[in-house]
Amino acid sequence: GAGVSQSPSNKVTEKGKDVELRCDPISGHTALYWYRQSLGQGLEFLIYFQGNSAPDKSGLPSDRFSAERTGGSVSTLTIQRTQQEDSAVYLCASSLFQTNTEAFFGQGTRLTVV
Amino acid sequence: TQLLEQSPQFLSIQEGENLTVYCNSSSVFSSLQWYRQEPGEGPVLLVTVVTGGEVKKLKRLTFQFGDARKDSSLHITAAQPGDTGLYLCAGAGGTSYGKLTFGQGTILTVHP
């Protein structure tokens, strides 16, 4: 696609439910990043992929969070047993290589846990 | 862990004023990027600075990378209401190779 696509754009879920957030990066981009952003704040790093492997998953807040990437393309971020503090905008970005290159962001998924 | 301290967190000014946003770290980065984000959108890259001491200009925006590659600044001349948004600095490389480390962001509001 022309840009990074994330779905859904909005998700409201009940506390305790599992959610899956999807990211379609720009074709050919080897690096993929997940960040979390609270209202008007900076971006909190969650995990990044180089190809299908995740060299750095240090930002995942707890074992309720997991992510995978298949075929060097689509990535899914899964949050199990959601809590209210998980409410945030989850942003995905991709870049051609790992560093020093522009990261292209999707519009994000706004997750609200009620 | 590499951290980027961005200041000020909030900036509210009148159209035509000048402003500077700072991004500081105790760590060295191989490059530093500045992004601008509007409500409901993802951040969009403004510039990447790579060389210590480098200065880049983008119309009314001037970006500088510190000599030691630990800090950066964004200066806006004669701010316009269209400059309103969240400005984020992000460091790449260094000990956090493979991920972009973001500052907390500066929310800029330019009043007509």
Side-chain angles (χ1 to χ4, degrees), chain A residues 33 35 37 40-45 48 56 58 91 98-108 110, chain B residues 9 30-31 33 35 37 40-43 45 48 86 88 92-93 97-100 102-105 107:
Chain A
Y33 311 85
Y35 289 87
Q37 185 176 36
Q41 298 297 306
L43 277 63
E44 175 189 3
F45 170 79
Y48 101 93
D56 189 346
S58 62
L91 288 161
Q98 281 178 290
T99 59
N100 294 351
T101 58
E102 179 177 1
F104 292 84
F105 283 84
Q107 291 188 317
R110 180 174 297 280
Chain B
Q9 188 175 356
S30 58
S31 70
Q33 303 176 355
Y35 290 79
Q37 184 179 21
E41 303 290 329
L45 182 71
T48 300
L86 174 65
L88 296 155
Y97 184 81
K99 74 181 184 189
L100 284 173
F102 280 83
Q104 309 96 310
I107 298 175

Side-chain angles (χ1 to χ4, degrees), chain A residues 17-93:
Chain A
K17 300 281 189 183
D18 298 351
V19 294
E20 281 190 356
L21 312 180
R22 178 187 169 102
C23 174
D24 279 278
I26 293 173
S27 178
H29 280 194
T30 61
L32 186 147
Y33 311 85
W34 283 99
Y35 289 87
R36 180 168 71 174
Q37 185 176 36
S38 298
L39 188 63
Q41 298 297 306
L43 277 63
E44 175 189 3
F45 170 79
L46 297 178
I47 186 171
Y48 101 93
F49 290 89
Q50 179 61 32
N52 290 335
S53 64
D56 189 346
K57 53 181 76 171
S58 62
L60 294 177
S62 73
D63 58 9
R64 296 187 295 106
F65 288 72
S66 62
E68 64 175 13
R69 188 180 185 193
T70 55
S73 180
V74 172
S75 176
T76 303
L77 177 68
T78 301
I79 308 173
Q80 296 179 310
R81 305 181 302 281
T82 52
Q83 303 294 313
Q84 287 186 328
E85 61 262 28
D86 299 335
S87 296
V89 175
Y90 290 81
L91 288 161
C92 173

Side-chain angles (χ1 to χ4, degrees), chain B residues 20-37:
Chain B
T20 302
V21 178
Y22 299 93
C23 184
N24 296 299
S25 176
S26 58
S27 304
V28 175
F29 291 96
S30 58
S31 70
L32 206 137
Q33 303 176 355
W34 285 91
Y35 290 79
R36 179 167 171 261
Q37 184 179 21

Side-chain angles (χ1 to χ4, degrees), chain A residues 4-25:
Chain A
V4 178
S5 177
Q6 290 187 247
S7 60
S9 54
N10 280 285
K11 176 72 177 179
V12 179
T13 189
E14 292 182 351
K15 177 181 173 181
K17 300 281 189 183
D18 298 351
V19 294
E20 281 190 356
L21 312 180
R22 178 187 169 102
C23 174
D24 279 278

